[in-house]
Structure formats: C-alpha cells, structure tokens
C-alpha cells in the first residue's frame, strides 16, 4: 500500500500532473485561464485534452463525463467512452479539446423552473478550469457549469463562480484604497464540516420511510437517547472506524483534504471536516464527499443518512460552513492585524460582513431552506431560524467603544482612533463557543451553521459572497469619494455601519424563548420558520436588486429558482405523507390489529378456563389498542385526503402543506408512536429507534 502523500490526489489532474505532462507554453496558458479567466483557444484545449486522456487511460479510465450540479441537488454525469474507431476494426482512446470545453447533456431531465419554456430547450455544459478534473470509477470527470443556450444558469456552480467574481471585484477596490497594489486577486476560502448518521443496512432496508424519504416518519423515543453524551466522548466503534479509514483513502485519492473525524452528539452520528480551500472547489469537494460517504458506507453494510433530521427527538445534522476572504498572497482579510492600519482594514471587512448579514438576513435564511432543514431551523434546535451574529464579548466591546466613541475597557483605557491605534488584543473566544449562533466569528473566519447536511453549500456561499460584495461596493463608493482625511472617513464609515446594523449582533442563547421575542419584537429581525416563508425572500425586490446588480443571477434565473425550490418542497413532503399513509395501512395497522387480536384470543381462553379471573391488564390493553386502531385508521384517511387536496401552483401547494399536511402528519405519527409503545416487540413491523440508533 502506498503512503498517504503518495496516495493523495493520485486520481486528480492537478498542478503536479499538468506540469509534468503539458509543454511549458500550454501549461502557462492553462494557468492563465485558471487564474485570470482568460479564454483558452482550441489548439491549446486540444493539447490539454490529449494530455488528460493519456493520463486518465494510464490510470484505468475508459470514459469521460462532464460532471455538473443541476438544481436537483445531486450531481449529474453522462458518460461517454474514449473509444474512437480506427482502421482494421481497431479502436483508439481519444478525447478532443471540444469534448473538454463543452458538452450537451439532455437538459430536459433537469429542472429549469420554466426557463426552458421561454428559452432554448437544450442546455450545455462548459468546462470550469478552476476546479481540477479527476477520475472516479474509471471515468474522467470534468467539472463543468450547466447553462441554457440563452446563457441562463441551470446549475449551482455558475452563480457561485459569479458571486466569487463579484466579491473579488469589490474587495479589490477596497484593497486599492489601502494601497495594497501587490494583490491581484481575492478569493473566498471555505471549509464545510459535514455531519451524518450511519445505520445498519439490513435494518434500513426494513424501513420504507428511510428508503423513500431518508428519514424516519414514525418511531417512539427509545429509553436511552443522546442524554448521556457518552457517544460524543466515546471511542469510535470498529465498524465505523473501518468505514472512516476507507472513506479517508477514497477522499484523499481525489485530492480532498479530509482532516478531522469524530463522533457527534447523537448516537451513530459523526462528522467529517476537510481543510478549507477556495469556495468553488470546496463546494465541488463537498458534493463528492457526500457521494463517496454513501458509497463507502454500503461496502460496510451501512447506510449513510445525510438527511437533516433522520430521527425526531435526536440531534439533527448540519454543515458548518467556515468562510473567510483571502488575497492571492494568502493573507486572510478577516484576521485581525498587527499594525493600526491592518486593524482598520480588518475592522472594515468585519463590519462589511455585519452589514451583509443584517441587510440580507432573509436571503441567508432562504439559502439554506428545505423541507429537511425546517426540522432543525424551525424547531427547538440549534441553530434557530432567526439569523443573528456572534462576535464574542471582547470584539463586541471593541465595536461598542468605536460606536460610542468611548474608552475601550481593555488593557489601556483610551479612545480608539482607527488607523492610529493598535487594536487591543482580543483572544479568540474559546470558553464560550456559542453553539446556538447561526453566524459566528471564530477568530479569523465566520462559521455559518444553518446549512443543512444534505444540501449543496453553493447557495449559502453565493448569498454570503453577494451580500458582502454589496457592502464592499457601498463602502468603496463612499471611501473613493471621501473628501478630506482617509482615516477620518474610514472611522466614520465603520462607526456608522456599527450603529446601523448592530441589531444583528447577539452573543446570547439562540434558542431561548426570550430571544425570539426580543429578536422579532424589539430588534425587528426576521423569523422565517418554514420553507414557503423563507423562499419568499428570493423575490423580495431589494434582494433581487442586489443579486442582479452584482451580476450573480438574472431576474429570470431567480424566478426559476424560486419555482424549483417550491416544487422540491412540495414533492418532498408529498412523498413523506404518502409513505406514512402506506406504512400506516400496510404495516402498522395490521401489526397492531394482529397483536390486539392475539391478546383478545388469549383473554377469551383465560376466561373460558377460569371465568372468575379479572384479566384487568388484557382488558385495558385491548380497549386502548382498539381506540388507537380506529384513531390511526381515521388519521390515515384524513392525511391522505389532505394530500389529495393539494392543487394550484407550487406556492399555493407549499402553503397548504405548511398549514395543513404537516399537522395531519404529526397527528398520525403521534398515534402510531403510542401504539408502538403498547405493542409487543415481536409484532412491530420494522426496526425501532433503539434498534437503529444503537445497532451499529
Ligand atoms: P473550529 O475549532 O473553529 O471548528 P477548526 O480549525 O477545527 O476550527 O476548523 C473547522 C473548519 O474551518 C475546517 O474545515 C477548517 O479547514 C476551516 N477553516 C479554518 N480556517 C479557515 C479559514 N480561514 N477560512 C475558511 N475556513 C477555515
Ligand atoms: Mg462542528
């Protein structure tokens, strides 16, 4: 077996391979394309394609595919083999520059939210040279963007690239004002921590809810849940360890920096964190990570559940999106500096994020919304649906001192003059790691914790990048036109921004009822609990204005995304509701009826043998079970009718689901869960919470 450094990236057409296999000229042109977005002409593309093909074939590949991220949420690929007929019934392995640069998947099977009705029916994929090609299952995968012929984005990568460009553009204006002429480019760095559950595959296959919906729709609480925390601190079980080892190897081969793995709070919940990389690649890598997690789990007779809430009453899964901005020189712009001037620049970027999160809180909430994530964000679980920001006590005190022009109560007591004073050293807040905060500053990066475990991180990053770019644009406009002393203008800008947007700052407990009241009633923050509510933010005029003026989305694209997301929500919940109906009728009711029947037969036999016996237990059980049986039957009918009543456009259906179907689902579940606690274990038709949670 090879060592980790040898194995790392062995399936990636990365810089090392490019250098080794491309001529100096071709390499330089390709680098220009990658770094500066210069167009690659066809002869160069042909040279790159030939080298790629040769490398891929040597590494066992037989096919190539344009790998892209349509709006369905998963990745898509259409495989073509490299074979090309040659004389004498021979074939050669060939791949052209044209094959590399564009492709034409059949767009009709991917959602377009009405875009195709108004535009061309076909879509095309276009090579994204900023993300390396890689080999997966004997296939050379070329990361691509997916667009309609009218140029509308039909995928998640295109807006992400556009948002990174917007942020680069506006951040460069700011850096110029600070005289940083050496900087050529600004990028975002992202490290997404991925949470997941592992369950035994044999048990999984006995549960239709897990198979069809990825989460349990029924299940009474087991006697033991996550209250002891023993899983979090406990050793990783051998079977899980074996899974993690293989997962790491597979990810390393693909050049993914899988770094940390540990158990999470809930039984059979775990987390994987990679080392951060640029936003676009982080997003590609996260998609691959999820795919490979599922694949590797299967080999260990496990199933990896990526749903945000696989088990009611047990901690859900999310993705912590660690985000920062850095220059091409590797300088983190969210890192407090050493000199007064660096500090001022840091504070400017910091308040840019504060303004962005406050101004576009609705968009950020929207960017992570889904039927699955509603179970986390809308329920009593961290993080809450209200977007707020945690800075820690020390940094908050610094901002307060600037805002009120009062002495900072730090090491030395004096008024802070930006550009003149060194900021007091504030330590990274390690004691009070506020786990409930949706958007937390953790020393030199922000951690956006609302992203769902199953979701692409793309949309969240698009909105963060866009919102921050918007702040930087407004700041640059003001500073470029500043008359007089730059330091004074800067100081005023930072102070004004803090004043105007400090309502978003909150260091307390995010799932306190008092916070909900204060946030909504005193501070006027948004509390968007469900997907239909949150999705309205896509169409909000000021959000549309920001995203279109930054050239991240067109208005048409935004409308199409709204429709697709609403439709996804409707479809997801509809499938859940119908699965419940099916399981209740075909599995739960028959099991409970059978148990109740056997109890009755036993009771009759006992009474026949000894009529004087009271048989109180059996009688009580039979009575309660009979009531439950009728209740379940009624509730199933009612739920089915509420699903059949879904009509009208996506929005109308989504609101009907929010107000009606979800309640009917909860009612049916409550009855079935009670029946479970009263039915003998040997009669219950599928594995219970206890079996699933403690069965690995
Ligand atoms: P924490 O202790 O705050 O969770 P870690 O160092 O464990 O921080 O990192 C968590 C995740 O954040 C990892 O994916 C890591 O690579 C990522 N990360 C660290 N620094 C940055 C940064 N400057 N920008 C983006 N992500 C980062
Ligand atoms: Mg974490």
């Amino acid at each position: 077996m090879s060592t980790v450094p040898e194995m790392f990236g062995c399936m990636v057409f990365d810089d090392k391979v490019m250098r080794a296999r491309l001529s100096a000229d071709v390499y330089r042109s390709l680098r220009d394309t990658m770094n500066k977005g210069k167009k690659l002409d066809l002869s160069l593309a042909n040279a790159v394609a030939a080298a790629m093909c040769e490398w891929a074939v040597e590494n066992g590949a037989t096919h190539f595919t344009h790998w892209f991220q349509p709006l369905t949420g998963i990745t898509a690929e259409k495989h073509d083999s490299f074979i090309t007929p040659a004389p004498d019934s021979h074939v050669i392995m060939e791949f052209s520059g044209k094959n590399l640069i564009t492709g034409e998947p059949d767009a009709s099977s991917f959602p377009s939210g009405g875009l195709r009705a108004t535009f061309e029916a076909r879509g095309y994929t276009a090579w994204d040279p900023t993300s390396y090609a890689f080999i997966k299952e004997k296939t050379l995968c070329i990361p691509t963007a997916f667009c309609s012929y009218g140029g509308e984005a039909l995928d998640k990568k295109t807006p992400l690239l556009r948002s990174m460009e917007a942020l680069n553009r506006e951040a460069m204006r700011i850096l110029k004002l600070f005289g940083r002429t050496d900087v050529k480019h600004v990028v975002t760095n992202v490290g997404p921590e991925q949470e997941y559950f592992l369950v035994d595959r044999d048990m999984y296959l006995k549960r239709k809810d897990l198979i069809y919906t990825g989460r349990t729709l029924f299940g009474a609480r087991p006697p033991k849940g996550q209250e002891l925390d023993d899983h979090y601190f406990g050793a990783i079980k051998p079977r899980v360890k074996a899974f993690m080892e293989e997962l790491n190897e597979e990810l390393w081969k693909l050049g993914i920096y899988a770094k940390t793995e540990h158990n999470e709070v809930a039984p059979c919940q775990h987390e994987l964190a990679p080392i951060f990389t640029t936003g676009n690649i982080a997003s590609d890598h996260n998609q691959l990570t999820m795919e490979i997690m599922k694949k590797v789990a299967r080999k260990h007779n496990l199933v990896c559940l990526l749903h945000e809430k696989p088990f009611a009453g047990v901690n859900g899964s999310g993705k912590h999106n660690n985000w920062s901005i850095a220059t091409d020189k590797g300088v983190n712009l969210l890192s407090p500096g050493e000199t007064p001037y660096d500090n001022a620049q840091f504070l400017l970027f910091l308040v840019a994020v504060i303004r962005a999160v406050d101004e576009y809180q609705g968009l950020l909430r929207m960017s992570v919304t889904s039927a699955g994530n509603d179970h986390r964000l809308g329920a009593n679980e961290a993080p809450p649906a209200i977007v707020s920001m945690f800075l820690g006590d020390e940094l908050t005190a610094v901002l307060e001192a600037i805002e009120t022009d009062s002495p900072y109560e730090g090491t030395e007591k004096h008024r802070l003059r930006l550009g003149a004073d060194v900021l007091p050293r504030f330590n990274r807040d390690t004691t009070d790691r506020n786990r409930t905060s949706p958007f937390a500053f953790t020393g030199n990066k922000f951690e956006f914790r609302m992203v769902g475990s199953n979701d692409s991180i793309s949309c969240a990053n698009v909105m963060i990048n866009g919102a921050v770019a918007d702040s930087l644009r407004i700041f640059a406009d003001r500073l470029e036109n500043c008359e007089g002393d730059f330091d004074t203008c800067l100081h005023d800008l930072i102070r004004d921004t803090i004043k105007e947007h400090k309502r978003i700052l909150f260091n307390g407990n995010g799932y306190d009822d008092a916070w909900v009241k204060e946030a909504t009633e005193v501070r006027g923050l948004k509390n968007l609990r469900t997907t239909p509510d949150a999705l309205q933010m896509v169409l909000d005029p000021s959000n549309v204005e920001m995203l279109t003026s930054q050239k991240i989305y067109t208005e048409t694209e935004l409308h199409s995304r709204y429709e697709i997301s609403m439709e996804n929500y409707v479809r997801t919940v509809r499938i859940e509701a119908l699965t419940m109906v099916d399981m209740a009728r075909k599995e739960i009711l028959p099991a409970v009826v059978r148990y109740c029947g056997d109890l009755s037969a036993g009771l009759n036999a006992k009474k026949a043998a000894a009529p004087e016996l009271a048989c109180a237990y059996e009688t009580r059980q039979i009575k309660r079970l009979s009531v439950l049986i009728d209740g379940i039957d009624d509730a199933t009918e009612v739920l089915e009718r509420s699903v059949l009543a879904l009509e009208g456009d996506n929005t109308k259906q989504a609101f009907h689901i929010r107000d009606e179907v979800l309640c009917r689902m909860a009612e049916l579940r409550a009855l079935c869960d009670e029946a479970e606690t009263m039915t003998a274990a040997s009669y219950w038709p599928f594995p219970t919470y206890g079996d699933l949670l403690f069965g690995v």
Side-chain angles (χ1 to χ4, degrees):
M1 213 186 84
S2 51
T3 64
V4 175
E6 278 165 5
M7 181 199 304
F8 189 84
C10 67
M11 289 297 164
V12 185
F13 193 77
D14 59 12
D15 197 66
K16 194 169 72 237
V17 185
M18 288 179 193
R19 254 179 226 277
R21 291 182 180 249
L22 299 174
S23 72
D25 282 354
V26 175
Y27 174 77
R28 212 173 320 109
S29 307
L30 181 56
R31 267 283 145 206
D32 276 353
T33 305
M34 292 168 75
N35 299 341
K36 301 178 201 155
K38 282 206 179 137
K39 216 170 138 53
L40 198 65
D41 71 45
L42 195 59
S43 67
L44 288 168
N46 279 329
V48 177
M52 254 187 202
C53 178
E54 191 183 83
W55 167 82
V57 171
E58 274 173 34
N59 284 285
T62 53
H63 288 67
F64 69 91
T65 183
H66 275 198
W67 184 78
F68 61 101
Q69 293 155 38
L71 298 168
T72 47
I74 45 162
T75 54
E77 11 189 295
K78 172 184 157 226
H79 295 190
D80 280 301
S81 76
F82 290 122
I83 63 167
T84 308
D88 307 325
S89 333
H90 279 82
V91 292
I92 52 165
M93 302 299 256
E94 212 174 50
F95 180 55
S96 69
K98 194 171 159 287
N99 289 155
L100 170 64
I101 292 177
T102 54
E104 279 192 51
D106 178 10
S108 58
S109 45
F110 301 108
S112 75
L115 277 184
R116 261 189 316 271
T118 31
F119 296 90
E120 274 268 8
R122 290 173 310 161
Y124 71 94
T125 48
W127 180 32
D128 166 23
T130 63
S131 183
Y132 296 131
F134 56 90
I135 299 172
K136 181 167 65 76
E137 288 165 353
K138 295 189 174 182
T139 302
L140 172 67
C141 299
I142 297 150
T144 54
F146 179 43
C147 300
S148 76
Y149 268 87
E152 271 80 17
L154 294 172
D155 70 343
K156 300 197 172 167
K157 184 191 268 284
T158 308
L160 180 59
L161 291 170
R162 292 177 186 158
S163 74
M164 288 169 70
E165 185 41 43
L167 189 67
N168 169 51
R169 191 175 57 232
E170 307 301 341
M172 287 299 288
R173 287 175 68 195
I174 298 286
L175 291 178
K176 203 170 148 204
L177 289 165
F178 279 84
R180 316 268 172 205
T181 46
D182 58 322
V183 179
K184 300 274 174 284
H185 208 79
V186 169
V187 295
T188 57
N189 282 325
V190 174
E193 302 165 57
Q194 175 75 48
E195 290 180 331
Y196 61 95
F197 279 83
L198 287 176
V199 296
D200 181 81
R201 190 169 142 80
D202 295 333
M203 290 189 203
Y204 167 93
L205 290 173
K206 294 190 180 123
R207 292 207 52 141
K208 284 189 194 164
D209 48 4
L210 286 179
I211 294 173
Y212 294 144
T213 73
R215 75 177 180 107
T216 55
L217 299 168
F218 299 102
R221 306 283 149 91
K224 179 181 168 182
Q226 63 190 53
E227 47 282 280
L228 290 182
D229 265 356
D230 47 353
H231 172 75
Y232 192 78
F233 299 110
I236 298 177
K237 292 186 184 125
R239 196 168 162 200
V240 174
K241 186 95 193 117
F243 159 83
M244 287 180 175
E245 274 170 19
E246 190 175 340
L247 175 64
N248 279 335
E249 283 185 18
E250 291 306 314
L251 295 176
W252 289 336
K253 283 186 202 164
L254 290 169
I256 297 172
Y257 300 104
K259 174 80 172 167
T260 327
E261 265 150 330
H262 57 81
N263 292 340
E264 262 301 333
V265 206
C268 78
Q269 191 186 28
H270 312 278
E271 181 187 291
L272 181 144
I275 298 170
F276 68 88
T277 176
T278 43
N280 172 33
I281 294 174
S283 171
D284 283 359
H285 280 180
N286 182 249
Q287 290 299 122
L288 274 175
T289 300
M290 291 192 285
E291 181 184 330
I292 289 168
M293 277 177 164
K294 287 187 193 159
K295 235 172 248 168
V296 172
R298 212 183 151 145
K299 286 210 215 154
H300 295 261
N301 205 38
L302 295 166
V303 174
C304 174
L305 301 178
L306 289 172
H307 194 282
E308 284 79 11
K309 194 74 180 173
F311 303 99
V314 174
N315 207 51
S317 297
K319 214 153 6 202
H320 290 179
N321 189 82
N322 293 272
W323 177 94
S324 66
I325 332 175
T327 68
D328 57 337
K329 305 282 177 284
V331 177
N332 182 347
L333 297 170
L334 293 178
S335 205
E338 298 290 336
T339 67
Y341 210 52
D342 287 345
N343 286 158
Q345 184 188 301
F346 159 72
L347 283 173
L348 187 67
F349 279 100
L350 182 77
V351 298
V353 182
I354 293 173
R355 177 191 172 277
V357 176
D358 183 32
E359 199 74 23
Y360 298 105
Q361 46 178 289
L363 267 188
L364 290 177
R365 167 67 184 91
M366 183 286 297
S367 75
V368 298
T369 203
S370 69
N373 218 12
D374 282 358
H375 296 288
R376 291 172 71 224
L377 306 180
N380 238 346
E381 185 164 341
I386 302 168
V387 177
S388 68
M389 249 172 130
F390 170 85
L391 293 184
D393 293 337
E394 284 180 278
L395 193 50
T396 306
V398 169
L399 296 189
E400 265 165 22
I402 295 171
E403 185 208 341
T404 54
D405 205 15
S406 57
Y408 171 69
E409 308 280 334
T411 33
E412 301 143 48
K413 280 197 180 182
H414 60 281
R415 288 190 163 75
L416 282 169
R417 287 307 299 174
L418 285 170
D421 285 338
V422 181
L423 270 189
R425 286 216 159 268
F426 43 89
N427 296 319
R428 187 183 145 154
D429 223 320
T430 41
T431 43
D432 179 28
R433 295 288 306 271
N434 191 324
R435 312 248 340 150
T436 69
S437 178
F439 209 103
F441 186 66
T442 50
N444 61 357
K445 60 180 161 63
F446 280 97
E447 193 170 328
F448 184 34
R449 305 199 175 113
M450 293 172 103
V451 187
S453 48
N454 201 23
D455 214 355
S456 156
I457 59 169
S458 177
C459 193
N461 284 291
V462 168
M463 298 311 165
I464 300 173
N465 296 345
V468 175
D470 184 67
S471 296
L472 295 175
R473 179 181 61 82
I474 286 174
F475 290 1
D477 285 350
R478 183 160 152 182
L479 292 173
E480 281 165 1
N481 294 313
C482 130
E483 287 163 10
D485 176 37
F486 179 72
D487 285 350
T488 308
C489 288
L490 187 62
H491 190 103
D492 292 349
L493 171 58
I494 292 176
R495 192 199 48 219
D496 294 351
T497 309
I498 298 168
K499 250 194 193 101
E500 206 174 322
H501 296 287
K502 65 178 178 190
R503 64 169 186 165
I504 199 75
L505 303 178
F506 176 62
N507 290 340
N509 179 359
Y511 43 51
D512 206 339
D513 285 340
W515 165 238
V516 177
K517 212 170 141 63
E518 181 188 328
T520 53
E521 291 171 21
V522 182
R523 303 196 188 201
L525 299 178
K526 293 189 164 70
N527 185 11
L528 304 163
R529 292 177 62 105
T530 69
T531 295
D533 301 310
L535 280 176
Q536 301 309 315
M537 295 297 117
V538 187
L539 304 179
D540 177 83
S542 70
N543 293 337
V544 173
E545 165 59 24
M546 185 276 280
L547 291 167
T548 53
S549 67
Q550 292 286 352
K551 303 202 169 6
I552 295 171
Y553 288 106
T554 64
E555 209 167 331
T556 324
E557 285 169 353
L558 286 171
H559 276 98
S560 90
R561 257 147 239 252
Y562 172 86
E563 286 302 329
I564 291 169
S565 307
M566 233 16 141
E567 188 178 351
N568 273 347
Y569 175 79
V570 171
R571 283 185 182 173
T572 304
V573 183
R574 212 182 121 87
I575 293 170
E576 289 181 348
L578 293 177
T579 303
M580 286 186 88
V581 168
D582 190 81
M583 288 172 78
R585 281 209 184 116
K586 296 193 185 138
E587 297 185 83
I588 296 173
L589 278 175
V592 183
V593 166
R594 193 158 54 83
Y595 177 57
C596 192
D598 287 356
L599 272 178
S600 309
L603 174 68
N604 289 340
K606 222 164 135 184
K607 283 232 161 123
E612 72 282 5
L613 290 177
C615 302
Y617 167 73
E618 289 93 330
T619 311
R620 261 198 320 266
Q621 288 287 98
I622 292 163
K623 273 191 189 153
R624 182 63 199 146
L625 283 170
S626 301
V627 172
L628 282 172
I629 287 168
D630 291 344
I632 293 172
D633 182 43
D634 288 344
T636 307
E637 284 289 322
V638 173
L639 173 59
E640 190 179 41
R641 251 184 277 126
S642 83
V643 176
L644 294 177
L646 281 171
E647 58 176 17
D649 62 14
N650 293 326
T651 305
K652 188 160 173 240
Q653 294 193 35
F655 280 102
H656 176 71
I657 282 174
R658 183 195 72 176
D659 300 333
E660 175 73 22
V661 179
L662 291 178
C663 309
R664 304 288 89 85
M665 285 166 70
E667 283 160 11
L668 174 58
R669 177 178 182 145
L671 294 167
C672 291
D673 289 358
E674 188 186 340
E676 183 194 326
T677 64
M678 297 187 62
T679 303
S682 60
Y683 286 74
W684 200 248
F686 40 74
T688 62
Y689 268 32
D691 300 333
L692 288 164
L693 288 168
F694 298 95
V696 172

